[in-house]
Amino acid sequence: DNNSVLFFIHGVGGSSDIWKSQIDYFRKLGYEIVAPDLIGHGLSCAPKDLKSYHFDQIAADIEEIFDKYCKRNNVVIGHSYGCSFAAFLARNRTRRVTKLVMISGGGPIPLAPQTNVFSLPVSILSCLRPCVQCKYERSAFSQSKKPDKLSYEAFSIPTYVLSNIMKGQIWSDGDEFYHNWIVSPTLLIYGQQDKLITLREEERMREAIYNCELQVLPEAGHMVMLEEPETVNKLLHEFLLQD
C-alpha cells in the first residue's frame, strides 16, 4: 500500500546496484523503495577525510535518510556491513522499523578497525588491489556461481575510500546485548558457501534477536542476492506478507 517503504542498505564496495533484482521485483509490486549509495560508493560523494567514513557518521547519514522517507510501515534490508546500519535503525527507530532483514550479516559482535592489508599506506594498497579483488571474489561467491558484471564491480570504489571505510568500522555497541533489544520481526538470509561469514555466526545472531528466523541457501555464497535473486525475492516477499 502507499504507507509501505523498503529501505535497502548495501555493504563495503557495493552500491545500490547490487539490489537491482530486488528493486525491479518489488517496484513492479507497487512498493516504494529507498536504496542509497553509502558515502564514497556509487554516485555519492567521496571526500578524502577519514572521519566521513566512521561508522557513527555513516549511521547518522542513514538515519537522516530514513527519517526523511519513512512512512507507516518500514522494512529495512541490509547486506554485509549494511546489516550493522540496519540493526542500528531497528534499535534507534524502534517504533518505525516494522520489519528487519539482514543478509550475510554475521554474528552480534562489536566492530573494530581492520588491521590487516587495509592498514597499509594507500599507495601500497593501490598496488595490491588486484590481489584483494581476487581474494574477495573467491571468498564472496560460491564456486558454482560465476560473478556477473555487477558483481565484478565490488571494490570498484577508490582505494582511499576502501581504506578509510575499513578503518572507520568502529562500533563497540554492536554486541549480543545490543541486538537483544531489537523488537522488530527479523529475517536472516545466509548462503552456506559464504567464506566470509560462518553459519555459526548467523545462528548466534538468530539467538540474540527475539523474534528472528534464519533461512539458509545451500548453493549461495556471500553475495546471495546476486547469486540467487529469485529465491531471495521470494523469501523477502513471503516475509513481508507475514502478519
Side-chain angles (χ1 to χ4, degrees), residues 54-222:
H54 192 284
F55 178 89
D56 289 344
Q57 183 60 56
I58 299 178
D61 294 341
I62 294 295
E63 196 170 47
E64 184 174 351
I65 293 172
F66 179 82
D67 289 343
K68 181 177 178 61
Y69 294 105
C70 69
K71 292 187 176 181
R72 180 177 296 276
N73 300 310
N74 306 288
V75 180
V76 180
I77 305 162
H79 172 254
S80 194
Y81 187 37
C83 291
S84 298
F85 302 110
F88 176 86
L89 281 178
R91 272 293 309 271
N92 287 271
R93 294 294 184 268
T94 303
R95 297 186 179 184
R96 297 185 184 181
V97 176
T98 310
K99 292 185 178 180
L100 173 65
V101 180
M102 295 192 283
I103 302 174
S104 307
I109 57 176
L111 299 180
Q114 298 291 324
T115 57
N116 48 21
V117 65
F118 298 106
S119 63
L120 295 172
V122 174
S123 57
I124 297 178
L125 182 58
S126 297
C127 298
L128 298 176
R129 278 293 291 272
C131 297
V132 174
Q133 177 94 13
C134 182
K135 182 178 179 181
Y136 169 78
E137 290 174 359
R138 289 201 305 266
S139 300
F141 294 90
S142 64
Q143 295 181 354
S144 61
K145 305 289 184 179
K146 184 177 180 181
D148 57 17
K149 182 179 179 182
L150 277 178
S151 306
Y152 277 118
E153 292 177 354
F155 289 111
S156 62
I157 57 178
T159 302
Y160 72 88
V161 171
L162 177 59
S163 177
N164 286 342
I165 201 165
M166 299 304 281
K167 292 176 181 176
Q169 293 185 12
I170 305 172
W171 188 37
S172 58
D173 291 336
D175 57 8
E176 184 176 353
F177 181 77
Y178 183 94
H179 290 82
N180 287 161
W181 286 89
I182 292 177
V183 298
S184 307
T186 303
L187 170 65
L188 307 180
I189 300 178
Y190 173 74
Q192 199 162 6
Q193 305 303 316
D194 191 338
K195 299 179 181 64
L196 299 174
I197 302 295
T198 67
L199 178 58
R200 179 53 191 150
E201 289 177 303
E202 291 289 338
E203 290 173 340
R204 285 184 57 202
M205 182 64 83
R206 178 179 57 80
E207 295 164 359
I209 301 176
Y210 171 68
N211 189 2
C212 183
E213 62 176 291
L214 170 61
Q215 294 285 349
V216 179
L217 279 62
E219 303 300 324
H222 190 68

Side-chain angles (χ1 to χ4, degrees), residues 1-15:
D1 56 54
N2 293 330
N3 288 316
S4 298
V5 186
L6 307 185
F7 293 84
F8 289 92
I9 308 174
H10 67 81
V12 177
S15 70

Side-chain angles (χ1 to χ4, degrees), residues 221-241:
H222 190 68
M223 304 299 290
V224 58
M225 65 284 185
L226 290 173
E227 296 179 273
E228 297 195 20
E230 294 181 358
T231 303
V232 171
N233 291 344
K234 180 182 178 181
L235 290 174
L236 291 176
H237 196 188
E238 291 176 349
F239 182 62
L240 296 183
L241 295 178

